Amino acid sequence: MASERHPGDRHPGRLAVQAVRGLSPYVPGKPIRELERELGIHDIVKLASNENPYGPSPRTLSAMRAALDEVWLYPDGGCHELKQGLARHLGVDAACLTLGNGSNDLLVLLAEAFLTPSHSAVYSQYGFAIYPLVTRETGAQAIAVPALGRDSDMPLGHDLAAMAAAIAPHTRLVFIANPNNPTGTWAAPAALKGLLERAAPTTLVVLDEAYFEYGHALGTQDGLPWLAEHPNLVILRTFSKAYGLAGARVGYAISHPEVADVLNRLRPAFNVNSLAQAGALAALADQTHMRSAVSQTLRELSRVEAELRRLGLWTAPSAANFLLLRLAAPAAPVFERLLRRGLIVRPLAGYGLKDCLRISIGLPQHNDRLLAALPQVLAAGAAQAL
Ligand SMILES: *Cc1c(COP(=O)(O)O)cnc(C)c1O
């Protein structure tokens, strides 16, 4: 075996298609257990992945426990009951729905179904990190459009006019998160509609509404009413955020039935497990619980926002359950010092935002811990710099 007869000899990883070999993996928020192992500390607060700390309702949890009795059976691959529940809740035909293992799954399916190396996808500079990832894995061209300036009235937000102008004849997908992660910023309805009007029918506009329930409570646009007149619109929503089911992995797409048909053909047969289906259906039936978590979180959002401003810190406008915080210096040391105090937040260097941290809104006592630690940690950094 001295000579390499094949590029895969001893290096089976090299057999992967080129677009995949070039990928950098998505870096998720640091898990609590990992920090416990690394530092031997306890009582850790994770404010790093925009989860809903109020969690699912007791009724949702008992529906999931009941589903355990049938866990030996394969799930309903067609997600019939959940689809019917969603169709009723949203007022759409069930044929418009595709269920995913989180909406992340649907982003992958959309890229696989609509992108090739001769196509392109458009997204904003500070758009969700998964957009470049799913685009690149298909070998398609990624067109990242510069975000709005820091002095605009939606700093770091999507420049929808520039995004519309960046759409080329070979552009198959435009990804727009509204509200956006990691910035929290949202799109003006007229600008969003303007992009939809300008996008050619050969370009699908993917409106990622992962934070819909938070944004909607604050008056951000709901894309659903536009679906009838724009067959190229695809809306993504999830049970991971406001519904408190991030660990269960359920998301869905609402689209023209032909797009749903394409996605459903590509979708792995049992991509949403039976516990997740039962949980999502029960969560949907418990709107009061969800709304109460959203309103408590939004109350805390304003409080944390005001407290950070009082500390002289800048945050981007947010219509979601997190804040993008900009510091006067690189954020990595601040992130590390917070970790040592048992607080996990999210560094954003991967987005080219080295001086920023993203902080999820937690329970009031969690937010208090962050607000108490932050000035100490910043002062420690300033002292070190002297
Ligand atoms: C969290 C998030 C998602 C998806 O999360 P899933 O858990 O995969 O449903 C999608 N888009 C954005 C912008 C997000 O922040």
Side-chain angles (χ1 to χ4, degrees), residues 26 49-51 100-107 127-131 176-182 208-211 236-241 245-252 321-322 351 358:
Y26 177 72
S49 302
N50 303 342
E51 292 127 335
N101 190 255
S103 47
N104 192 118
D105 194 20
L106 296 158
L107 288 166
F128 187 38
I130 299 292
Y131 308 153
I176 303 169
N178 188 45
N180 181 53
N181 173 16
D208 180 347
E209 297 187 335
Y211 300 94
L236 300 184
R237 293 201 189 154
T238 180
F239 285 89
S240 296
K241 307 285 161 58
L245 286 170
R249 316 301 303 127
V250 197
Y252 57 99
N321 62 339
F322 59 87
Y351 283 91
R358 194 192 66 198

Side-chain angles (χ1 to χ4, degrees), residues 36-224:
E36 279 179 352
R37 283 195 301 273
E38 285 173 4
L39 298 184
I41 57 174
H42 299 282
D43 197 19
I44 291 167
V45 171
K46 185 184 179 209
L47 301 173
S49 302
N50 303 342
E51 292 127 335
N52 170 4
Y54 298 95
S57 70
R59 266 190 274 166
T60 298
L61 289 174
S62 65
M64 293 176 84
R65 284 192 196 99
L68 267 178
D69 290 343
E70 293 198 341
V71 79
W72 57 280
L73 287 167
Y74 277 102
D76 171 8
C79 301
H80 180 79
E81 285 180 50
L82 179 53
K83 265 193 191 174
Q84 293 303 319
L86 278 170
R88 251 192 326 272
H89 176 71
L90 300 166
V92 301
D93 198 293
C96 299
L97 298 172
T98 313
L99 271 294
N101 190 255
S103 47
N104 192 118
D105 194 20
L106 296 158
L107 288 166
V108 173
L109 293 176
L110 282 163
E112 286 178 351
F114 293 98
L115 297 177
T116 74
S118 44
H119 291 120
S120 64
V122 168
Y123 48 81
S124 178
Q125 183 181 10
Y126 303 125
F128 187 38
I130 299 292
Y131 308 153
L133 199 63
V134 299
T135 301
R136 293 205 183 103
E137 75 189 19
T138 67
Q141 187 198 342
I143 303 175
V145 177
L148 292 171
R150 291 186 171 191
D151 50 2
S152 92
D153 49 5
M154 194 52 77
L156 312 184
H158 300 331
D159 185 341
L160 290 155
M163 288 174 77
I167 297 174
H170 53 67
T171 302
R172 278 284 180 277
L173 297 176
V174 178
F175 293 110
I176 303 169
N178 188 45
N180 181 53
N181 173 16
T183 56
T185 53
W186 62 96
L192 214 45
K193 189 73 163 90
L195 181 139
L196 270 175
E197 302 290 349
R198 277 179 72 182
T202 47
T203 302
L204 293 188
V205 177
V206 180
L207 191 56
D208 180 347
E209 297 187 335
Y211 300 94
F212 171 77
E213 295 80 5
Y214 298 98
H216 195 56
L218 294 171
T220 65
Q221 179 66 41
D222 172 357
L224 211 51

Side-chain angles (χ1 to χ4, degrees), residues 272-317:
V272 184
N273 70 68
S274 48
L275 307 186
Q277 288 187 39
L281 185 61
L284 205 55
D286 211 342
Q287 292 291 307
T288 314
H289 176 85
M290 183 275 285
R291 284 205 204 101
S292 140
V294 165
S295 72
Q296 291 178 81
T297 297
L298 292 177
R299 212 174 312 133
E300 281 294 291
L301 175 78
S302 322
R303 182 176 75 92
V304 175
E305 223 169 10
E307 286 296 316
L308 292 173
R309 197 174 314 124
R310 225 172 39 82
L311 294 172
L313 297 167
W314 185 88
T315 54

